[in-house]
Amino acid sequence: MGGILPFGCIFIQLFFILNSIWSSQVYYMFGFLFLVFIILLITCSETTILLCYFHLCAEDYHWWWRSFLTSGSTALYLFIYCVHYFFTKLDIKGGISTFLYFGYTFMFVFLFFLLTGTIGFMACFWFVRKIYSVVKVD
């Protein structure tokens, strides 16, 4: 569930990006896309830090992979949206074209998983280092 908030920040721009790739339309809002990317960075970071803090408060210190998977789960919602886009917006009939679409989609979703997972892990790593650096042991 940690990935639904970052996905909510990007799904409108995702429609325009998919239209420009698969419907031969021109994408020209690169400044706004950069702003949405910054919002994605902040949202992934804040969501992962918040969920990591909840686990640390419950004395569950296995946060390494959980922080990566929390923000990386945004890619699952991205894949679901791409499947929805394929069946509702595109008119692809052939098997080869369908294979190409889902092949490129899997590559894009995997890279997006690595990107958002790394963002979440690095933010959580910084947060845990920062929070435990102020703990004084006497």
Side-chain angles (χ1 to χ4, degrees):
M1 288 302 293
I4 199 159
L5 190 62
F7 177 74
C9 296
I10 64 164
F11 82 97
I12 297 295
Q13 284 301 308
L14 188 61
F15 172 76
F16 293 117
I17 291 170
L18 289 175
N19 270 344
S20 69
I21 293 172
W22 298 108
S23 298
S24 300
Q25 295 180 0
V26 178
Y27 187 81
Y28 52 87
M29 299 183 292
F30 292 108
F32 191 66
L33 181 65
F34 180 71
L35 180 66
V36 169
F37 178 70
I38 297 298
I39 293 171
L40 174 71
L41 291 175
I42 293 169
T43 309
C44 281
S45 300
E46 288 179 349
T47 304
T48 307
I49 287 172
L50 179 68
L51 292 175
C52 180
Y53 180 72
F54 287 155
H55 284 285
L56 289 175
C57 286
E59 296 181 6
D60 182 11
Y61 299 106
H62 302 290
W63 60 270
W64 292 79
W65 281 105
R66 189 172 290 134
S67 66
F68 186 82
L69 294 174
T70 296
S71 61
S73 66
T74 307
L76 174 69
Y77 297 104
L78 176 67
F79 178 72
I80 292 170
Y81 183 77
C82 287
V83 169
H84 170 73
Y85 181 83
F86 178 77
F87 286 115
T88 59
K89 303 291 183 204
L90 295 178
D91 189 29
I92 295 178
K93 300 285 188 225
I96 300 295
S97 299
T98 303
F99 180 74
L100 280 174
Y101 175 79
F102 283 107
Y104 283 125
T105 298
F106 281 129
M107 287 191 297
F108 178 66
V109 164
F110 180 70
L111 290 175
F112 192 76
F113 172 75
L114 291 178
L115 173 76
T116 55
T118 303
I119 291 167
F121 174 77
M122 295 303 280
C124 200
F125 185 75
W126 172 82
F127 172 73
V128 170
R129 299 258 316 173
K130 189 60 117 173
I131 199 170
Y132 283 119
S133 69
V134 296
V135 173
K136 295 189 192 258
V137 178
D138 290 330

